[in-house]
Amino acid sequence: MSKDKWNEDHIEKRLRDMPVVKDQRSKDEIMQRLKEDSRLSEPNGPKKRPSKSKWPPILAAIAAIVLLTILMPTFIQQNNEVSMEQATTEESADPIEVESSEEMQSNDASDASVFTRQASTPLSYAAYPSDLMGHTVFHIGLATNQATIVPVTFLIPNERLAERLGTSPDAVALYNEYAKTLDEEALGFIEYHPYKAMISSNGKQVQMKFTADHTYDTSSATLEMLNRSVQDTFLGYDEIKFLQEDASPITFDQVGQVEEPIALSGMVSHQAYYRFLKSDGEVVLSTNFGKTTETVEQALNDMKVSPNDVYSTVVPKEIDFTVKVNEELVNVKFTEELDLDQMQPEEAMQLIDGISLTAASFDKYVKFDQVKQKHWNEFDFTQPVEKPIGANPHYLINE
């Protein structure tokens, strides 16, 4: 017999032998017991969990909407007031200062650089007397990475001149005030100014007392750059004297002791102007390393040909002209009618400005003949063109 079978019989016998359990209580006793049981005294049915009221969330949402309805107009009004106030402030601000602040944000200029705008005049390579209205002219010769000097004419608004300069500052006063503030690299030149010298004037003579650590005589080229630079900078003076710091005559390694002052030619330099391409791609007008000529006829005819690889002619090869001089007037007559509108605007301007600058270097005006346009840009070709007062103009605004 299996063990499972034995267990089943054993269990069954045990169940039969268990005593019968009987409830001896009467029905009345059972009923009374049930009545006395507190668990059965509550209402019939399962106990329900009290549900949360749905009204509080709804009331909160309504209250929020009402609050936003009240506050929103006030917020919008305040925001509009702020916007209007900002707009009014911007409109009332000086446009130059607004533009300056934008440029200052885009440039990490040093505190010494007070000039924040150095903008070229629109498509012009020469400054004329009409450009001087309300401005003071500041001439300076800036250096390039090709060991050349380019004459630059800055036009400073009179209302922004330093008060200590007065109303008619001369070239020395302007140089001492503004040369140290120029950002020459931003203009496409190399750092060259201010000179390593103390600069003053005595009558019509400029005096430069060089510091002991100057490097202007390291080569003949650097010495020539110094000479060309002062020629293009100190216009209005007759001569310049180079001195040591103690005011004694200076000795340059390339030429020895310099005892005599050097003559300054100013605008009447007897030089032809050519096109020069700077390293930043900008075209300017400059002279051929300061080379001079005896007559204005020779200078104007020399302009028709590029003198070297550094400078190129402003006269297109298909254009020719004749030159006739009558005292202070130079008549430039094109052999064929010149249509300036058929030329590139910058080439046409370089042609007119280059000829005008060359004639001005002989203290003469130009009358152009055989030009199709009687009026072009600011020029009236029915009359002699104004005599230029400088090359490569820039507006310079002292912020």
Side-chain angles (χ1 to χ4, degrees), residues 129-399:
S130 57
D131 299 321
L132 267 183
M133 185 175 297
H135 293 78
T136 294
V137 62
F138 168 37
H139 296 282
I140 191 169
L142 300 181
T144 74
N145 58 0
Q146 298 184 50
T148 62
I149 298 295
V150 173
V152 176
T153 306
F154 288 112
L155 301 174
I156 307 174
N158 289 338
E159 65 271 15
R160 294 185 179 272
L161 279 175
E163 292 184 3
R164 59 181 169 274
L165 294 179
T167 57
S168 300
D170 59 19
V172 169
L174 288 168
Y175 183 87
N176 287 331
E177 181 70 25
Y178 297 124
K180 60 181 177 293
T181 67
L182 294 177
D183 189 346
E184 296 166 81
E185 291 185 345
L187 289 168
F189 298 93
I190 63 173
E191 291 187 6
Y192 191 78
H193 295 278
Y195 297 116
K196 292 184 177 180
M198 181 179 295
I199 302 170
S200 60
S201 62
N202 182 13
K204 285 294 185 177
Q205 183 185 82
V206 180
Q207 296 182 346
M208 293 184 69
K209 298 178 182 178
F210 291 91
T211 61
D213 62 344
H214 78 83
T215 57
Y216 297 113
D217 60 347
T218 54
S219 68
S220 58
T222 57
L223 200 55
E224 179 60 23
M225 286 181 66
L226 173 64
N227 181 58
R228 295 306 324 147
S229 180
V230 297
Q231 292 287 346
D232 290 333
T233 299
F234 299 111
L235 276 64
Y237 288 91
D238 295 336
E239 59 186 21
I240 187 167
K241 194 168 186 178
F242 295 154
L243 302 168
Q244 297 189 93
E245 286 182 287
D246 61 1
S248 61
I250 194 168
T251 299
F252 288 137
D253 289 345
Q254 302 298 320
V255 296
Q257 190 175 72
V258 182
E259 296 183 354
E260 297 298 323
I262 299 172
L264 295 174
S265 58
M267 280 296 296
V268 187
S269 57
H270 292 194
Q271 296 171 329
Y273 278 77
Y274 299 89
R275 180 190 293 112
F276 177 77
L277 181 64
K278 290 161 49 208
S279 59
D280 63 352
E282 182 189 6
V283 172
V284 293
L285 297 186
S286 186
T287 63
N288 177 24
F289 294 105
K291 179 183 177 182
T292 61
T293 55
E294 292 184 2
T295 66
V296 65
E297 295 97 330
Q298 180 184 350
L300 289 171
N301 284 310
D302 287 348
M303 287 180 59
K304 299 176 183 179
V305 181
S306 299
N308 46 53
D309 294 336
V310 178
Y311 299 98
S312 60
T313 178
V314 298
V315 184
K317 55 185 173 182
E318 67 274 9
I319 294 176
D320 195 10
F321 55 80
T322 60
V323 179
K324 185 178 180 180
V325 181
N326 183 11
E327 295 183 353
E328 293 185 353
L329 186 66
V330 177
N331 183 268
V332 174
K333 184 177 181 180
F334 295 98
T335 54
E336 296 183 6
E337 185 180 59
L338 178 66
D339 188 350
L340 294 171
D341 289 338
Q342 295 300 313
M343 301 176 63
Q344 292 295 327
E346 62 274 12
E347 291 182 356
M349 188 63 76
Q350 290 165 15
L351 173 64
I352 300 301
D353 284 345
I355 292 175
S356 298
L357 284 166
T358 300
S361 75
F362 290 85
D363 198 22
K364 298 186 183 301
Y365 297 88
V366 176
K367 173 65 172 67
F368 291 94
D369 287 335
Q370 280 280 81
V371 180
K372 182 177 181 180
Q373 291 77 18
K374 301 303 180 185
H375 297 85
W376 184 79
N377 283 2
E378 302 298 324
F379 295 105
D380 179 3
F381 292 121
T382 65
Q383 303 291 330
V385 172
E386 286 185 296
K387 189 189 302 180
I389 58 172
N392 308 307
H394 288 256
Y395 285 120
L396 196 61
I397 296 179
N398 180 4
E399 296 294 347

Side-chain angles (χ1 to χ4, degrees), residues 50-88:
S51 62
K52 294 182 179 179
S53 174
K54 297 180 179 179
W55 284 106
I58 296 175
L59 292 175
I62 294 173
I65 293 172
V66 172
L67 183 61
L68 288 174
T69 303
I70 296 172
L71 295 179
M72 187 59 71
T74 303
F75 174 77
I76 293 174
Q77 182 179 1
Q78 292 176 347
N79 191 40
N80 288 340
E81 289 176 355
V82 172
S83 299
M84 290 297 293
E85 183 178 348
Q86 291 175 346
T88 303

